[in-house]
Amino acid sequence: MSTYHHGHLREALVAAAVELGREKGPDGIVIREVARRTGVSHNAAYRHFADRDELLREVATYGMDQLSATMLKRVRRVRVTDPVERARRRLREVGKAYVEYALAEPGLFAVAFYPVTLPDLSGPYQLLTDALDECLEAGFMSAEKRPGAELPCWAGVHGFSLLYGSGPMRDVPRRQRDADLAQLLDRIEDSLRA
């Protein structure tokens, strides 16, 4: 059971809900259990959240923020100076980071894409958009291929994350999974290349 400082109950409730989401996914986030872990009555929790959906949305936002941070960290590690190669590698790192987060945090990833919670996707989506725009500006991608390129890129890594995270490919050894991800990213690159 965690404790909280007076005046910070909402933050403590969200922190407990994040841990439940991390452990059990969206079905594990129950206001009574969040309140119990925080050391308050469930009535106290309801003073801060109208319903479970509102609490789930808070956890989803946290998850998306963490996904964005993971993506940004990987993008910033790309240090090559050639503009085309830098753009190509940054796009790959966006995809790798997405899968990395989904596999490392399956519970929070599931909360983030739970039907009632779908939060603002602007962070991860903007990072993908920026990477694609950089590919266009550097000449890696032609202008004709740029419109709508976010959808196949996102769908590819999201589908991969589900297949290898909780789906039928979940038991594939890491080495094979990494090779499969590299192949997927190669195919995405091939479809975008000018």
Side-chain angles (χ1 to χ4, degrees):
M1 180 176 357
S2 65
T3 58
Y4 67 95
H5 294 107
H6 184 71
H8 299 282
L9 179 55
R10 183 179 177 88
E11 293 87 351
L13 292 166
V14 171
V18 164
E19 285 310 307
L20 278 168
R22 182 172 276 132
E23 294 166 16
K24 301 177 181 184
D27 293 336
I29 300 173
V30 179
I31 289 186
R32 279 190 183 276
E33 179 59 18
V34 168
R36 188 191 70 72
R37 286 186 178 205
T38 309
V40 299
S41 72
H42 68 278
N43 288 334
Y46 276 111
R47 286 189 207 109
H48 293 275
F49 299 99
D51 56 24
R52 177 177 176 264
D53 289 352
E54 184 180 348
L55 182 57
L56 280 165
R57 283 189 287 276
E58 287 287 327
V59 176
T61 298
Y62 174 86
M64 278 296 169
D65 290 347
Q66 294 302 302
L67 173 58
S68 294
T70 301
M71 293 166 82
L72 189 57
K73 181 179 176 183
R74 286 192 76 122
V75 166
R76 287 181 173 164
R77 289 194 322 215
V78 176
R79 300 277 186 221
V80 282
T81 56
D82 176 68
V84 173
E85 185 62 16
R86 183 177 59 243
R88 187 189 71 77
R89 286 192 187 179
R90 285 183 175 172
L91 179 61
R92 282 184 86 88
E93 291 305 311
V94 164
K96 287 180 183 178
Y98 190 94
V99 172
E100 173 189 323
Y101 180 80
L103 298 179
E105 293 285 3
L108 291 177
F109 187 77
V111 173
F113 290 96
Y114 195 63
V116 300
T117 63
L118 196 58
D120 178 8
L121 299 173
S122 61
Y125 190 82
Q126 189 60 55
L127 289 165
L128 174 57
T129 296
D130 292 347
L132 289 166
D133 287 347
E134 185 179 359
C135 285
L136 176 64
E137 291 163 15
F140 176 76
M141 180 183 359
S142 66
E144 299 80 41
K145 292 186 176 184
R146 178 61 189 90
E150 288 87 353
L151 181 59
C153 292
W154 191 304
V157 294
H158 190 82
F160 186 96
S161 298
L162 295 177
L163 285 169
Y164 287 79
S166 59
M169 306 296 280
R170 68 183 168 275
D171 295 327
V172 168
R174 182 182 180 128
R175 174 181 262 159
Q176 182 61 51
R177 184 190 73 213
D178 291 348
D180 293 348
L181 178 59
Q183 184 178 33
L184 170 68
L185 297 174
D186 288 346
R187 296 299 174 265
I188 290 172
E189 276 184 26
D190 290 347
S191 72
L192 298 173
R193 193 181 314 273

